[in-house]
Amino acid sequence: MTQRVELATVMDRLAVDDVVTDYAGAVDDGDWAAYRELFTADGRADYRSAGGIEGEPGQVAGWLAQSLAPFAVRQHLVVNRRVRFGVLEHDTGDTARVRADYLNPMRLAAAGDRGAPDLECGGRYDFGLLRTPEGWRLREVVVHEKWRRTQERRPVGVTG
């Protein structure tokens, strides 16, 4: 590879990483307009493994907004990102695949204190991205939830 190609690959990897980070931030912050803007016009998201729906970003954003409303605190930790680039003849530009693991602790609004999360889940994301004239965008997001744990709420000072 030439230095120019290597630099372009590094720049693409950073841009793709930014999209994945922006995705997690939009969900955690409940910024559904930003969430929708991350997708291509034909983009899809699939949350069925986590008990959710599959559909176009606007529909899925509505479902996420409703499902996550009880949680005042949400924090995605998206790690172990593996990025692969490719070119598909039927696409208008380059494509990327990202497989990343996630941990997502959430805290109910009614909880009030800063104790343990009320719900934690973890699994793997598969992201499909497409380079567009506006930059890299998500063509698909597939959630593969592998585990879920809820925290039993006990009154302060009660043990056992």
Side-chain angles (χ1 to χ4, degrees):
M1 269 199 242
T2 67
Q3 284 184 334
R4 181 172 288 178
V5 171
E6 289 173 357
L7 178 59
T9 300
V10 169
M11 298 300 290
D12 282 337
R13 185 178 177 94
L14 291 171
V16 164
D17 193 68
D18 282 349
V19 172
V20 171
T21 299
D22 290 346
Y23 164 87
V27 173
D28 290 345
D29 296 342
D31 188 344
W32 308 118
Y35 176 91
R36 289 188 299 274
E37 290 173 13
L38 291 169
F39 285 83
T40 61
D42 63 346
R44 306 289 290 177
D46 184 347
Y47 290 80
R48 291 177 292 183
S49 76
I53 66 170
E54 185 274 335
E56 55 87 20
Q59 176 187 20
V60 172
W63 172 79
L64 284 168
Q66 182 179 10
S67 299
L68 297 176
F71 297 98
V73 176
R74 302 184 292 265
Q75 184 179 28
H76 275 77
L77 305 173
V78 182
V79 299
N80 301 332
R81 300 175 191 205
R82 293 168 299 280
V83 179
R84 302 289 179 262
F85 292 102
V87 177
L88 301 177
E89 291 178 22
H90 64 277
D91 286 337
T92 58
D94 293 339
T95 62
R97 303 289 310 171
V98 179
R99 176 166 273 189
D101 297 323
Y102 72 88
L103 171 64
N104 187 12
M106 295 184 281
R107 188 87 175 129
L108 289 167
D113 63 62
R114 294 189 175 266
D118 296 296
L119 173 67
E120 290 179 287
C121 57
R124 182 163 289 155
Y125 280 117
D126 281 318
F127 296 98
L129 295 94
L130 177 67
R131 184 196 318 266
T132 72
E134 296 79 32
W136 286 95
R137 295 290 184 265
L138 295 168
R139 177 178 271 169
E140 70 173 339
V141 175
V142 179
V143 176
H144 304 280
E145 186 176 88
K146 294 184 175 188
W147 62 270
R148 179 179 289 211
R149 177 177 48 219
T150 58
Q151 177 72 30
E152 182 181 327
R153 304 292 300 159
R154 296 180 186 191
V156 176
V158 176
T159 60

